[in-house]
Amino acid sequence: MKVLAFDLSSARGSIALLEGDQEEYFRDWPNDRKNAGPFFESLVGVQKKFGEPGTIIVGLGPGSYAGTRIAISAAIGFQAASRARLIGFASICAIECDAAEYCVIGDARRQTFFFARVRGNNLAEGPDLMSGAELREKLDKLDRKMSIFTTEKLSQFERAEVRYPEAKLLAKLAADPKREFAQPPLEPIYLREPHITIPKK
């Protein structure tokens, strides 16, 4: 079965197509939330060369809200045209690394950060919001051998290493029948309740 995967949750976007265990296509690029051109060029190219996928998996973040919304919208449109199975999964669970367990931190804006723990490519804890001081205390209690990743440079947390989600790993995870995936309607992983601005009358 062909599995198409993509992720736009971080500063590096990626798209991959796997057929069985064979990687047929992979591309990544600097992901500019104001220019989704490279993503859609890749998506059209994959469709023309490889035809319709049997499964589409999209990264749900947490991360760039705009990027994740673009990815989900594209996945929904592609699924409607191809009749493929559509699923979503936390982007931070698809960071390529050798560690069986790792932590991910990120800037959640408004002077807050998020912390999550990933074990076996599943969310084992979080993502939880906390202040900078709370996050530092949390990280100080971790085993010094624990890998800590972030998708954007956070110089105030010296142990954090910049790593990005990988679409090709998302595609591999999609083939696991025992894994729990988000089902449509897909939404980004919200770190806080969505804020809706009500127009003044």
Side-chain angles (χ1 to χ4, degrees):
M1 179 188 295
K2 295 175 188 172
V3 178
L4 175 65
F6 42 87
D7 185 89
L8 301 178
S9 68
S10 72
R12 191 181 72 184
S14 62
I15 183 170
L17 185 125
L18 267 62
E19 185 159 12
D21 294 330
Q22 187 70 31
E23 181 183 312
E24 300 289 346
Y25 180 91
F26 175 72
R27 184 186 174 198
D28 61 2
W29 61 91
N31 184 32
D32 182 350
R33 69 183 70 183
K34 296 178 182 177
N35 179 18
F39 166 61
F40 286 106
E41 288 170 12
S42 295
L43 195 57
V44 170
V46 167
Q47 183 183 28
K48 286 182 178 178
K49 186 172 182 179
F50 299 102
E52 310 294 357
T55 295
I56 299 168
I57 181 169
V58 59
L60 303 179
S64 166
Y65 179 78
T68 304
R69 291 298 303 182
I70 290 169
I72 290 173
S73 297
I76 291 171
F78 206 78
Q79 188 272 337
S82 66
R83 305 284 180 163
R85 167 187 176 230
L86 175 60
I87 53 177
F89 202 61
S91 304
I92 57 175
C93 292
I95 292 177
E96 197 78 63
C97 66
D98 295 328
E101 182 175 355
Y102 59 86
C103 297
V104 184
I105 64 173
D107 189 346
R109 310 299 185 255
R110 303 185 209 170
Q111 297 184 322
T112 58
F113 300 86
F114 76 81
F115 173 91
R117 187 187 300 261
V118 176
R119 185 180 302 121
N121 297 110
N122 283 312
L123 276 176
E125 180 184 350
D128 298 316
L129 281 179
M130 55 190 69
S131 68
E134 289 170 331
L135 178 56
R136 185 169 294 282
E137 183 180 353
K138 179 92 172 176
L139 298 182
D140 286 345
K141 292 178 180 177
L142 293 177
D143 189 304
R144 297 301 297 178
K145 294 180 181 178
M146 176 68 72
S147 296
I148 301 170
F149 300 131
T150 176
T151 61
E152 56 188 323
K153 188 168 179 59
L154 296 174
S155 55
Q156 65 270 51
F157 301 105
E158 300 83 2
R159 288 179 60 190
E161 176 186 352
V162 176
R163 291 275 186 104
Y164 302 107
E166 292 273 10
K168 55 188 171 183
L169 181 51
L170 274 175
K172 291 175 184 176
L173 295 174
D176 185 351
K178 297 180 181 179
R179 203 170 291 274
E180 292 186 13
F181 300 99
Q183 304 293 329
L186 299 180
E187 290 188 340
I189 294 175
Y190 294 108
L191 295 173
R192 51 171 59 91
E193 288 297 316
H195 177 72
I196 299 173
T197 302
I198 300 174
K200 295 178 180 178
K201 293 183 179 179

